[in-house]
Amino acid sequence: MSGAAELEAQGHAHLAAGRPEEAERCARQALAAGGGAVSLWHLLAVTLRVQGRVTESLKVYTLMVDRLPGNLTIRFELAELLLLLGDFERGWREYRYRYNMVHTMPLERKVQRPRWDGRPIPDRTLLIHDEQGYGDTFQFLRMVAWAKRRSQARIVLQINHEQVSFARRLKGMDWGGADALVLRGVLPPPFDAHCEMMSLPMAMGLQLSDLPNQDRGWTPYLTPDPARVKRWGRRLKSLPRPLVGLVWAGRPTHLNDANRSMSLERLAPLAQTGATFLALQKGPAADQASSPPPGMRIERLSDAIADFEDTAAILTHADLLVSVDSAPVHLAGALGRPAWVMLPHVPDWRWLLERDDTPWYPTVRLFRQPARGDWDSVIRDIAGTLRGLGGGRRG
């Protein structure tokens, strides 16, 4: 093995072990010794991004894309970096490569119609289909009505079974949303053009300034099921307030889950806030609610939560949601419910950088790690702020 190859292998090992500074040292040493392989530059770009040196990382990614425009993995990673920095114009354009990589090609839906480019297509039918995770769908459902107005077309929305009920109640459907709904996996009616839900921003040239905010009359675009709201109201009415929904772990199969999730035990400082916590956690981590940190008053609700409709109804009664970056955050934001999000030092692109609010959801507040892996500071800030809300106070 050559010196450069050995240093590269060491760099990847350091990166996998959570030592990006050492990985950077290996990458730079190999590059200085004359190793110019794109994999070394890629290693350097990733190590800089993980350390939070996003601007430096962007320069390396831009250099790689200029020299290797056909490397679509690098272009997709560049897209996420651009979006994280708020450069939506370039970011959405590069984001279209998300299904052109070797490992994502099988996920792309093969559609024998042109992708909508944002221009009006009156008297024609536009198929919009959801993609990726549940949180993505909750976040971008708002754009269906916008696409209806822009395209002047008949809109057919194809969506997964778990979220179709929300789409049926989507605010704006009576003034320009979907004209028809069809489940994913079911053959849609004939259509003239299509667009993935997360390609709508590219087609419509979405900018940060286009996102409606509180000052411009922003209103929630999702609503809960009234029957579920009534049912959960009966169950939760006797619990002492404030009622705080709690989610401490995301989907384990998510590529970045180790960076965004934690254990319930780590949230022990929240036990002293006087709140009643509603464990909305699903999946393997839900069992942790059976043995919470000492002094934490927690109601394990996971067994009674059948779907997102139950989660939405609970959030309607809760004073607040405290959560890692997960689908319930997007559901709370789309419902207009207050939520506090615990974010890693370098978060997912949609949360941007260096701000405690988000243009996507006016009712959501962000609590960021000040340094990589520093959840303790985040939890202390959450606990202190939560104590300041006062018992019994509605969100």
Side-chain angles (χ1 to χ4, degrees):
M1 182 182 289
S2 69
E6 185 176 354
L7 282 167
E8 182 178 350
Q10 292 175 9
H12 283 290
H14 284 307
L15 191 62
R19 298 187 295 268
E21 293 85 0
E22 289 300 308
E24 179 193 354
R25 180 186 60 78
C26 290
R28 290 192 183 280
Q29 188 175 339
L31 289 167
V38 66
S39 56
L40 276 173
W41 286 104
H42 189 213
L43 175 62
L44 176 61
V46 172
T47 62
L48 292 170
R49 184 185 65 204
V50 170
Q51 292 177 68
R53 294 156 62 186
V54 177
T55 303
E56 293 176 67
S57 181
L58 177 64
K59 291 179 180 177
V60 180
Y61 271 111
T62 302
L63 175 67
M64 289 190 291
V65 167
D66 287 343
R67 295 186 178 181
L68 294 167
N71 189 317
L72 303 182
T73 296
I74 291 174
R75 297 196 75 142
F76 173 69
E77 292 176 9
L78 171 64
E80 293 195 309
L81 211 56
L82 290 166
L83 293 172
L84 178 65
L85 289 165
D87 187 347
F88 277 19
E89 183 176 355
R90 293 172 60 200
W92 296 127
R93 191 167 62 244
E94 299 292 339
Y95 196 65
R96 74 183 186 272
Y97 294 113
R98 63 192 178 279
Y99 289 131
N100 294 100
M101 299 174 285
V102 173
H103 67 287
T104 61
M105 280 182 181
L107 302 176
E108 184 180 19
R109 297 184 204 174
K110 308 304 179 184
V111 180
Q112 302 302 314
R113 289 291 185 273
R115 179 178 285 109
W116 182 53
D117 62 5
R119 288 181 289 187
I121 49 172
D123 303 320
R124 297 190 179 183
T125 297
L126 170 62
L127 173 69
I128 297 173
H129 39 106
D130 74 338
E131 55 174 321
Q132 302 189 43
Y134 297 127
D136 300 302
T137 296
F138 282 135
Q139 182 179 4
F140 287 91
L141 265 173
R142 74 186 75 198
M143 296 201 68
V144 173
W146 303 354
K148 171 70 173 179
R149 292 197 297 272
R150 172 76 69 85
S151 68
Q152 302 174 31
R154 179 178 184 269
I155 301 294
V156 175
L157 174 62
Q158 189 172 44
I159 192 168
N160 64 80
H161 181 270
E162 291 84 353
Q163 294 173 289
V164 67
S165 56
F166 290 97
R168 290 193 181 103
R169 298 191 303 271
L170 184 63
K171 285 190 175 181
M173 288 187 70
D174 57 340
W175 48 262
D179 297 287
L181 296 174
V182 60
L183 290 177
R184 184 189 296 180
V186 175
L187 190 67
F191 57 93
D192 302 288
H194 82 102
C195 194
E196 302 91 349
M197 191 174 288
M198 295 181 71
S199 291
L200 290 173
M202 179 183 68
M204 301 177 67
L206 182 72
Q207 300 290 331
L208 283 175
S209 58
D210 295 326
L211 294 172
N213 57 43
Q214 206 80 283
D215 295 334
R216 288 157 52 188
W218 183 89
T219 57
Y221 53 92
L222 296 186
T223 59
D225 175 20
R228 302 280 189 107
V229 171
K230 187 175 181 179
R231 184 192 313 165
W232 279 101
R234 290 194 296 266
R235 173 161 183 175
L236 302 175
K237 67 179 180 180
S238 62
L239 297 177
R241 290 188 180 272
L243 299 180
V244 179
L246 195 61
V247 178
W248 55 90
R251 176 168 46 89
T253 55
H254 191 280
L255 292 176
N256 196 39
D257 191 61
N259 192 42
R260 66 171 182 165
S261 294
M262 66 184 79
S263 66
L264 177 59
E265 182 181 7
R266 194 154 193 178
L267 294 171
L270 301 187
Q272 310 307 315
T273 62
T276 299
F277 292 96
L278 308 176
L280 308 182
Q281 183 67 51
K282 299 289 285 184
D287 289 339
Q288 297 173 26
S290 299
S291 53
M296 178 176 282
R297 186 168 54 216
I298 191 166
E299 294 285 322
R300 177 177 174 173
L301 303 180
S302 59
D303 294 339
I305 298 176
D307 51 27
F308 284 117
E309 289 286 9
D310 282 323
T311 303
I314 295 168
L315 291 173
T316 301
H317 291 288
D319 300 294
L320 175 69
L321 170 67
V322 173
S323 175
V324 296
D325 183 5
S326 62
V329 168
H330 295 281
L331 177 55
L335 291 166
R337 299 302 300 152
W340 295 352
V341 192
M342 299 177 285
L343 293 179
H345 184 52
V346 182
D348 186 72
W349 60 264
R350 69 202 74 216
W351 303 120
L352 304 171
L353 293 172
E354 298 179 352
R355 56 189 298 169
D356 60 9
D357 67 333
T358 167
W360 295 102
Y361 309 111
T363 60
V364 170
R365 180 174 176 179
L366 310 178
F367 290 77
R368 301 174 182 270
Q369 288 181 349
R372 190 176 68 256
D374 185 4
W375 284 124
D376 292 339
S377 293
V378 172
I379 295 164
R380 280 197 302 270
D381 288 347
I382 293 272
T385 309
L386 187 54
R387 279 192 292 268
L389 288 182
R393 183 173 174 178
R394 291 287 298 185

